[in-house]
Amino acid sequence: MNELFRKLNVLVRASINDVLGEDHAIGQSRRQPLTPDKLGKNIDREIVSLRGRINDALSFEDELRRRVQTLQDEVARYDRQADEAVAAGQDALARRAIEQMQSAQQRLAMAEADLHEHQLVTQELIQRVNMLDAVVADARRAQAAEAAPPVEAPAANEAAPTTQAQPRVPSLSDVLRDAQEKINQMGDLIQAKQEVNAPTPAEQATEAADEQRVDDDLAARRERLSKPKSS
């Protein structure tokens, strides 16, 4: 899922740069207002859709937070079990609890890294959509401020100027719509890939434990628990 939102950021940034004609850095104070045609008639709808993507990102962030908390609780539970087993002289049970704790610690480290990365990606997406809002607002203010000059009819002896049809340039709303369609396709591919590559419960259970780390942890617990508690 992080990959999906990261790709969305890349496509939104590229879409903005393509239409505005330059690299608009986040927070840039001077922007060239766009014409209504260049914005596109569906720009508001596309921004609303991007806001929906932000809501999805925030919901996924909550899911990642819950995942981190669950793993923290799991680590603490195996830690207590290991101490109890050592105190009871059950080294085999203690070793198994330590192995499970270390496995949970590894998954916790990955979950925390995922959460941190996702927070950065989400913040960037929020900033970019806010920048889009600012670009649209600038364009509409500029349009409202411009007084349309009166159009004078050409003199009878003057030929009316001929206009040459210009190739249609994709509007910002068109480009954003295409970007989001690509994201939808990527989302299906990423989900399918995750389902194919997801380890089975049996594979997760047979992850090789670091025997030396287990031995070191077990020895440290024995030493700590063998010391008399100070009154």
Side-chain angles (χ1 to χ4, degrees):
M1 187 64 74
N2 274 351
E3 181 69 16
L4 187 64
F5 288 113
R6 185 165 53 248
K7 288 183 180 297
L8 177 60
N9 266 333
V10 171
L11 286 173
V12 170
R13 180 173 63 248
S15 300
I16 295 172
N17 293 342
D18 285 347
V19 174
L20 300 186
E22 56 181 301
D23 188 8
H24 278 60
I26 292 176
Q28 185 171 325
S29 58
R30 300 181 63 185
R31 287 186 288 264
Q32 181 69 32
L34 297 174
T35 63
D37 288 342
K38 203 166 186 181
L39 284 177
K41 62 180 180 179
N42 295 320
I43 186 63
D44 291 327
R45 185 178 66 188
E46 296 307 324
I47 291 179
V48 168
S49 180
L50 286 172
R51 293 289 181 194
R53 296 284 186 175
I54 290 174
N55 291 335
D56 292 341
L58 293 173
S59 295
F60 185 60
E61 182 175 322
D62 290 339
E63 182 180 332
L64 290 176
R65 288 183 186 278
R66 288 191 294 270
R67 173 66 172 163
V68 167
Q69 184 60 58
T70 297
L71 287 169
Q72 288 173 339
D73 294 343
E74 186 176 337
V75 168
R77 184 174 69 255
Y78 286 133
D79 190 28
R80 289 193 303 271
Q81 290 177 1
D83 274 356
E84 291 168 359
V86 169
Q90 298 175 323
D91 285 359
L93 289 178
R95 177 177 291 277
R96 177 58 179 162
I98 292 170
E99 290 174 352
Q100 291 172 321
M101 183 193 71
Q102 291 181 353
S103 175
Q105 286 172 331
Q106 292 173 353
R107 286 179 277 124
L108 173 59
M110 290 187 289
E112 289 174 334
D114 284 344
L115 174 59
H116 178 67
E117 178 187 10
H118 184 71
Q119 288 172 328
L120 295 178
V121 169
T122 300
Q123 185 60 34
E124 182 182 357
L125 181 58
I126 291 172
Q127 289 176 313
R128 293 202 179 281
V129 176
N130 287 343
M131 189 188 75
L132 275 175
D133 270 337
V135 168
V136 173
D138 285 350
R140 287 174 176 163
R141 279 194 295 268
Q143 180 189 15
E146 290 178 357
V151 179
E152 297 181 359
N157 60 349
E158 292 180 0
T162 59
T163 58
Q164 184 176 2
Q166 298 293 325
R168 182 180 180 277
V169 178
S171 66
L172 182 57
S173 64
D174 291 338
V175 176
L176 290 174
R177 185 191 64 245
D178 291 343
Q180 295 202 68
E181 288 176 355
K182 291 178 182 178
I183 283 297
N184 290 335
Q185 297 170 0
M186 289 178 186
D188 293 338
L189 292 174
I190 290 173
Q191 181 177 358
K193 182 178 180 181
Q194 289 174 340
E195 291 174 354
V196 169
N197 295 335
T200 65
E203 289 172 335
Q204 291 175 338
T206 56
E207 290 180 352
D210 188 329
E211 293 297 331
Q212 186 59 54
R213 287 181 60 223
V214 172
D215 290 340
D216 292 344
D217 188 298
L218 186 56
R221 288 174 192 273
R222 286 172 180 155
E223 181 179 359
R224 172 169 54 83
L225 294 173
S226 65
K227 293 179 180 179
K229 294 184 180 179
S230 57
S231 56

